Amino acid sequence: MSAPAGLDAVDCSRDKRDGRALTGAQIDWVIRAYVEGAVADEQVAALLMAVYWRGMDRAELSRWTDAVIASGERVELSGLSRPTVDKHSTGGVGDKISLVLAPLVAACGAAVPQLSGRGLGHTGGTLDKLESIAGWRSDLSPDEVRAQLEEIGCVICAAGPDLAPADRKLYALRDVTATVESIPLIAASIMSKKIAEGTRALVLDVKVGSGAFMADRARAAELAATMVSLGRDHGLETVALLTSMDVPLGRSAGNALEVAEAVEVLSGGGPDDVVELTLALATEMLRLAGVDADPAGALRDGSALRVWRDMVAAQGGDPDAPLPRASHVTPVIAPRSGYLTRLEARAVGVAAWRLGAGRARKEDPVSATAGVVWRVRPGEEVRTGDVLLELHTDEPARVGRALGALDGAITVGDEPTPDRPLVIERVD
Ligand code: URA
């Protein structure tokens, strides 16, 4: 593909490098030419680095997002009988909220089309978690997605190869060129996929803290505001919650372990923080979808659990099959009596990953059974010799490295630390 007159990859990089806004024609062309292989990786790498330093204005970002969406197909969900609404999380440790939220919001009357990805690094992927259920499959066709949304009200499945393919290529290049941490590039990457999946409304859970992609609150708030305005510019009702990710969510991180915890919450129990965040996000989703319902009631009365069972079964899974369990469980013991004052989210995520729950490269397999269970949460009392954590794995040789990740990440003190709010800020 030769460049149309006046368009050139070097000019794109030079303009951006020198602080000039890219034109719509430049953006459309460079994204399309990159996907088609007509512009080389090194040229787009230079452009991404220029965007990293110079940013993009609102019009550029909107056009960039449009060009990424236009590289693939847009899912058409407008004919459904229920309003569509989805949620995206920027990823946290022990974050099993999607597993509960999709059936819960469906039980309340909205349709949740959740096209998800797999995990990379220390935060787990929703599909990896669901794949610990015997028989469950993630590869649904667009017709299957639509039919399941109409019949059951929710679907969690893999984004097909036609959904924003430019993002896949750009993300892989960002990953090896130190350009992942750019707010406009992250916003365009996340929002292009959500806009292309066809939902009409979106709630973003932007995590802040040591276990999050963004440790800094001001940057997380900027990312949230950027995604909210990008969503609005594309006709998507969008709201973001900034939520804390200094402490891992719930009591477990790992694939089957998190499914088990999600089922506890769907059954009306489970850890308070998972319930609190799920209800906060469900309330926002239902408000955007215009549905007046009581999500806490749907957890209590079993209706969310019924939708979960239907969703799992519709995707080939057996909701009654016992979840796999690790063959080795290594306890981590409290060294003294007192209160657990710190359990560092990132360290727990890395430990779960090293036990086999996550992958370093996207081709790597993940273990269904590996992970970490924390028997004590920050603020709770412990006595010398109590089990603080359990390290689950089928490969005991991994335990030493997991323990290494936890070195210095756990503190038992004399006084309980005050509770910090889970939902920090609402951005709309
Ligand atoms: N998740 C995405 O999908 N894209 C990014 O750029 C970062 C996180």
Side-chain angles (χ1 to χ4, degrees):
M1 174 183 174
S2 60
L7 293 174
D8 175 67
V10 179
D11 285 343
C12 292
S13 298
R14 185 183 296 114
D15 285 346
K16 189 46 46 188
R17 181 198 69 188
D18 294 345
R20 287 184 289 278
L22 298 171
T23 66
Q26 280 179 312
I27 292 170
D28 293 349
W29 172 74
V30 79
I31 301 266
R32 191 153 57 87
Y34 183 50
V35 172
E36 290 175 2
V39 172
D41 277 349
E42 57 270 25
Q43 292 187 301
V44 176
L47 175 60
L48 293 172
M49 188 54 88
V51 170
Y52 176 91
W53 285 110
R54 292 291 190 173
M56 282 196 270
D57 67 26
R58 190 164 173 166
E60 283 177 289
L61 181 57
S62 184
R63 188 72 170 243
W64 183 284
T65 306
D66 281 332
V68 174
I69 295 168
S71 69
E73 312 255 299
R74 234 174 135 147
V75 182
E76 185 45 69
L77 296 176
S78 57
L80 292 178
S81 62
R82 312 164 180 229
T84 50
V85 58
D86 193 9
K87 166 257 184 181
H88 177 83
S89 156
T90 57
V93 178
D95 185 359
K96 65 280 297 171
I97 302 285
S98 285
L99 305 181
V100 185
L101 196 59
L104 171 59
V105 171
C108 291
V112 185
Q114 184 141 119
L115 272 49
S116 290
R118 286 170 206 285
L120 199 58
H122 74 282
T123 61
T126 299
L127 300 182
D128 297 321
K129 293 169 196 172
L130 285 162
E131 279 171 352
S132 60
I133 301 172
W136 187 85
R137 74 185 174 91
S138 65
D139 57 332
L140 302 193
S141 69
D143 284 344
E144 286 176 314
V145 169
R146 263 187 300 273
Q148 189 169 319
L149 283 172
E150 192 59 52
E151 277 163 37
I152 295 167
C154 58
V155 59
I156 303 178
C157 69
D162 292 333
L163 196 92
D167 180 64
R168 215 160 305 133
K169 205 166 167 186
L170 287 167
Y171 192 85
L173 188 59
R174 286 167 58 208
D175 206 24
V176 294
T177 55
T179 51
V180 168
E181 300 91 343
S182 148
I183 286 178
L185 293 177
I186 297 169
S189 167
I190 292 173
M191 295 303 290
S192 59
K193 290 173 286 198
K194 287 294 162 189
I195 296 163
E197 91 178 1
T199 186
R200 293 308 309 272
L202 179 66
V203 175
L204 297 158
D205 178 4
V206 179
K207 305 282 190 195
V208 189
S210 77
F213 193 55
M214 297 261 163
D216 177 67
R217 176 171 171 176
R219 274 182 62 76
E222 189 185 337
L223 175 64
T226 305
M227 290 195 288
V228 167
S229 52
L230 193 49
R232 297 254 170 85
D233 287 349
H234 285 81
L236 222 67
E237 283 289 324
T238 311
V239 164
L241 297 183
L242 293 196
T243 72
S244 171
M245 188 30 73
D246 284 319
V247 171
L249 269 174
R251 289 189 179 270
S252 63
N255 296 313
L257 290 168
E258 291 191 47
V259 171
E261 195 172 290
V263 172
E264 271 180 51
V265 177
L266 285 159
S267 307
D272 292 349
D273 60 338
V274 178
V275 175
E276 180 189 337
L277 185 53
T278 302
L279 291 177
L281 292 164
T283 302
E284 296 291 346
M285 289 170 77
L286 292 167
R287 193 191 339 247
L288 289 188
V291 174
D292 182 16
D294 168 23
L299 290 179
R300 271 194 311 271
D301 69 15
S303 52
L305 182 64
R306 277 195 294 282
V307 176
W308 158 265
R309 293 175 58 82
D310 290 348
M311 175 180 79
V312 168
Q315 293 181 232
D318 176 356
D320 294 315
L323 288 162
R325 297 180 70 87
S327 55
H328 290 78
V329 177
T330 306
V332 175
I333 303 297
R336 54 166 286 195
S337 296
Y339 294 88
L340 185 66
T341 52
R342 197 166 65 95
L343 178 62
E344 222 248 303
R346 175 171 290 266
V348 171
V350 172
W353 176 35
R354 290 184 179 173
L355 289 165
R359 52 174 72 77
R361 289 170 311 149
K362 65 180 190 319
E363 309 71 34
D364 294 345
V366 293
S367 157
T369 58
V372 178
V373 174
W374 43 108
R375 299 254 290 256
V376 184
R377 285 187 48 77
E380 293 176 353
E381 199 169 356
V382 290
R383 288 165 189 267
T384 311
D386 281 355
V387 175
L388 285 179
L389 264 64
E390 294 169 356
L391 308 185
H392 291 229
T393 186
D394 293 327
E395 296 171 77
R398 290 176 174 266
V399 171
R401 279 182 30 83
L403 285 170
L406 292 166
D407 206 19
I410 302 168
T411 310
V412 178
D414 293 328
E415 302 286 336
T417 41
D419 268 354
R420 282 195 289 180
L422 192 51
V423 178
I424 301 167
E425 188 181 332
R426 181 173 188 273
V427 180
D428 68 357

